[in-house]
Amino acid sequence: MAIVRCKDHPPKGRTRSYERCVEPVGYPETAMVCGCTHCENPDLIWLETSEVEAFSRGEKIFKSFTATMKMKAK
């Protein structure tokens, strides 16, 4: 599952391994902000290995941990 964090707060990957980040549509003027507490920087979409492969094949929409939000990469 993709996660949103800014460049200053990359995911630590304790239980998941994030291999690459991509910019969301409109970055840096995106409506999405970093998922870290107290940070309001524009986010990046951090992808796991399977998602990086999907992105390489042209997939642009990624799910987060809940069904309430999906992100679209450039």
Side-chain angles (χ1 to χ4, degrees):
M1 292 282 154
I3 191 169
V4 293
R5 296 286 188 269
C6 70
K7 64 181 178 180
D8 296 331
H9 300 109
K12 295 195 167 113
R14 291 183 185 151
T15 57
R16 296 179 179 270
S17 179
Y18 296 95
E19 186 176 307
R20 179 181 174 187
C21 64
V22 294
E23 295 178 352
V25 170
Y27 183 86
E29 299 299 322
T30 178
M32 296 190 308
V33 297
C34 181
C36 285
T37 306
H38 307 298
C39 182
E40 296 181 358
N41 292 334
D43 79 335
L44 296 165
I45 304 169
W46 294 82
L47 305 174
E48 294 180 306
T49 303
S50 62
E51 294 166 323
V52 170
E53 293 167 2
F55 182 78
S56 296
R57 291 189 307 271
E59 188 168 329
K60 300 295 182 194
I61 297 177
F62 299 95
K63 296 178 184 176
S64 190
F65 290 97
T66 69
T68 60
M69 184 179 75
K70 294 184 282 184
M71 295 125 341
K72 187 171 185 177
K74 283 186 180 178

